[in-house]
Amino acid sequence: MSDIEREVHAVAERARDAAADLAPLSRAVKDEALLAMADALVKRADEITAANAEDVRRAREAGTGPAMVDRLTLDPQRIEAIADAVREIVELPDPVGESVRGGILPNGLDLRQIRVPLGVVGIIYEGRPNVTADAAALCLKSGNAALLRGSSSAYSSNTAIIGVLRDALAGTGVPVDAVQMVPGRTRESSNALMRARGLVDVLIPRGGGSLIQAVVRDSTVPVIETGEGLCHVYVDADADLDKAVAITTNAKAQRCSVCNSAETLLVHEAVAEAFLPRVLASLAEAGVTVHGDPRVLEVAAANPTGATVVEATEEDWATEYLSMDLAVRVVPDVDAALAHIRKYSTQHTEAIITDSLSTSRYFVSRVDSAAVMVNASTRFTDGGEFGFGAEIGISTQKLHARGPMGLPEMTSTKYVVTGDGHLR
């Protein structure tokens, strides 16, 4: 075992001890700790911004683009927003101890299935240092110990934030080791976390597709896949074209860098002639570059709209752009749209725009994704928009949790059976 592996195992062992102490704590104790964490973030904002300035300086020296630098940057206002997000978690119901099902069995045994924490949750994430506080707070509220492994680009910021959170916990009833930073800045420390089976109960990667797939491929710890979203919008022959233009533009352009933004638009050939010039004009106004199939290129050439339209390649249909780019294809019918989605989707969110109830039901029953929107933007796939509150991510897999992962999805269950001298 290497030195870094020993260090990672040491923090994981401390996390296991902390998780055992954290699991039975009341909501009041956990909420008090969360409020202390939020207050500490604001009080020590100068310390956090000073550390963040080091990350920003390194990023600029490395030639990082302005958008990524902006996502990395913290100022007092952004830190206040992070603290407010922690306070919002305080207001959410505590899922731990909730009875999922149960009752009195015919033999008189009292059977209850109740929610319990997952235990030790490792989170490997990229980019924004606000994830550090969000993830720590969600894990704590759901009774889990958090092992946090952020990106090297935010190392100084994450170190400062975790130091502030741990200091805040020292004055509460929550064990300090319920929140820990995974030591090391290289891939070796991430690998050690991924191989800490038996010490870490579950890993949750948050970031781009390459990060998620690397964790899934290399981890011996169970993984909940989150985040990668190659989302589709299908405009049916019976669509209201006004709604279709508005929804498509919103799904792509309202915020293009997130996992629930649309990446591919599929258009039924019966409405292509009428719909494409309108949606191309709207997308052009929003600054979107369209990657179109031959039919889209033909319509764009015949109907100048000012849109930037380039020829789509096979790679475009499989690309999660996270930018102001949209792949557009004309399809002969709903079955062709479904076939395209089955081939390229990451099973995050798909949308259909149609006034046909039968077609919408047909589409919904055949799409195998975490969320399906009918006459609504893909941008609604979000824990807050669903009314669940804060989330750790959007799960695109089928085991344990699927869709927005709020506090209940950060728990497992156990059975409690109470008898009176019962024998089998």
Side-chain angles (χ1 to χ4, degrees), residues 50-324:
N52 178 252
E54 297 177 16
D55 291 328
V56 171
R57 176 183 56 78
R58 285 194 295 268
R60 286 177 174 151
E61 289 175 353
T64 304
M68 292 302 296
V69 171
D70 181 67
R71 294 179 71 180
L72 177 63
T73 303
L74 295 176
D75 57 28
Q77 291 72 34
R78 289 185 176 184
I79 293 172
E80 183 70 56
I82 293 171
D84 286 343
V86 174
R87 295 186 184 104
E88 289 174 6
I89 293 172
V90 173
E91 302 301 318
L92 298 175
D94 185 351
V96 178
E98 174 189 345
S99 180
V100 177
R101 61 177 173 175
I104 305 300
L105 301 180
N107 62 5
L109 286 174
D110 186 327
L111 174 71
R112 303 288 171 184
Q113 183 186 20
I114 63 171
R115 292 196 181 279
V116 296
L118 292 169
V120 177
V121 177
I123 302 176
I124 300 177
Y125 54 101
E126 295 176 324
R128 298 179 181 178
N130 67 291
V131 175
T132 302
D134 291 345
L138 284 164
C139 285
L140 193 157
K141 179 76 178 218
S142 54
N144 298 294
L147 291 178
L148 305 170
R149 176 55 167 86
S151 62
S152 59
S153 63
Y155 184 83
S156 297
S157 307
N158 292 337
T159 300
I161 291 170
I162 291 174
V164 168
L165 299 181
R166 285 171 58 84
D167 288 348
L169 291 181
T172 72
V174 170
V176 171
D177 285 334
V179 176
Q180 295 185 81
M181 184 171 180
V182 176
R185 303 176 66 165
T186 67
R187 179 65 186 272
E188 187 181 2
S189 68
S190 295
N191 288 340
L193 180 63
M194 291 184 236
R195 293 192 297 265
R197 190 178 181 91
L199 294 174
V200 179
D201 293 291
V202 65
L203 276 179
I204 302 175
R206 288 187 56 169
S210 60
L211 168 69
I212 295 168
Q213 293 310 311
V215 175
V216 171
R217 182 182 63 247
D218 299 336
S219 180
T220 61
V221 174
V223 176
I224 298 176
E225 299 178 51
T226 69
E228 191 175 8
L230 208 169
C231 304
H232 297 76
V233 174
Y234 166 59
V235 177
D236 184 51
D238 295 310
D240 178 316
L241 298 189
D242 289 335
K243 291 179 183 176
V245 170
I247 290 171
T248 300
T249 306
N250 178 267
K252 176 70 263 183
Q254 193 262 343
R255 189 179 175 194
C256 66
S257 62
V258 290
C259 63
N260 58 14
S261 64
E263 305 292 17
T264 298
L265 170 65
L266 303 172
V267 181
H268 194 294
E269 63 181 8
V271 295
E273 195 73 33
F275 174 67
L276 284 172
R278 296 178 59 184
V279 77
L280 290 176
S282 180
L283 292 169
E285 187 175 349
V288 176
T289 296
V290 168
H291 301 248
D293 73 353
R295 180 64 177 137
V296 174
L297 295 174
E298 179 185 326
V299 173
N303 299 272
T305 60
T308 301
V309 183
V310 298
E311 183 177 359
T313 65
E314 177 62 25
E315 184 181 0
D316 283 308
W317 311 122
T319 298
E320 183 188 17
Y321 295 110
L322 301 176
S323 63
M324 292 295 257

Side-chain angles (χ1 to χ4, degrees), residues 355-367:
D355 284 342
S356 168
L357 182 59
S358 62
T359 304
S360 68
R361 287 176 172 172
Y362 185 84
F363 185 88
V364 168
S365 68
R366 285 162 175 78
V367 164

